[in-house]
Amino acid sequence: MAEEQTAASVTEQKEGKGREPGTFQLVSDYKPSGDQPEAIKELVEGVKEGKQCQVLMGATGTGKTFTISNVIEQVGRPTLVFAHNKTLASQLYAEFKEFFPHNHVEYFVSYFDYYQPEAYIPKSDTYIDKNTKTNEELDMLRLAAANAALNHRDTIIVASVASIYGASNPDQYRDMIETVRVGQEIDRRELMQFLVRQQYKRNDLDPVRGT
């Protein structure tokens, strides 16, 4: 009977049943074990007490991400996760997406595939202009992350440290977006006027960004 109840609760987790809107729901077949329960308890208490800095130490493969996921679920606050580089950020993003399939887990990294800053070589009097190549898909993921942060409390954003430079002002961003939701009734003319004000152009043949 207990096994049936456990199986039923896992199924409800995976389907997102019983979750209050705006709250985090951790989905996992495993429960905290070993030192994890005590670490989770201390970290949650530290956050609630307003501690500015806490450190969770553990070797690779000891379940630090799972431990922090439990903390996120219990604290219930929007969370920003910084990684040293894109590779680690991508790994953490995949793990948090798996742990929180019913919440807003977003990816925010630099959208440059290639970046060469401007430079000057005095010896040869050579000026090298800035040259960049941006990744449109990464830029769209950045926009999705900003949108989630402004509109949903149950948001986890995984970001690389370098991505914080050049980020847009949130107030300016909020004034420039129009969020469309399923089931919402929108006046077609008003929506078109908004798009025109944001410098969208009509294009019925090649629907790319900005059209």
Side-chain angles (χ1 to χ4, degrees), residues 1-13 28-29 31:
M1 185 67 177
E3 291 181 358
E4 291 179 0
Q5 290 176 339
T6 302
S9 63
V10 170
T11 301
E12 288 181 356
Q13 272 191 338
S28 175
D29 295 331
K31 297 293 182 184

Side-chain angles (χ1 to χ4, degrees), residues 110-183:
S110 170
Y111 52 72
F112 291 118
D113 279 340
Y114 171 77
Y115 181 81
Q116 174 186 282
E118 60 181 0
Y120 175 69
I121 304 175
K123 187 174 182 179
S124 59
D125 192 28
T126 303
Y127 172 74
I128 303 174
D129 198 5
K130 181 172 69 174
N131 188 15
T132 63
K133 180 182 179 183
T134 59
N135 185 309
E136 187 170 303
E137 185 175 352
L138 289 178
D139 193 22
M140 292 171 67
L141 289 171
R142 286 168 62 96
L143 292 173
N147 193 45
L150 291 172
N151 289 285
H152 304 284
R153 184 163 179 80
D154 58 324
T155 295
I156 300 171
I157 296 179
V158 181
S160 61
V161 174
S163 67
I164 63 175
Y165 299 104
S168 58
N169 182 298
D171 292 328
Q172 292 179 341
Y173 181 84
R174 186 184 288 109
D175 294 338
M176 292 176 61
I177 65 173
E178 180 75 14
T179 302
V180 180
R181 297 179 174 84
V182 175

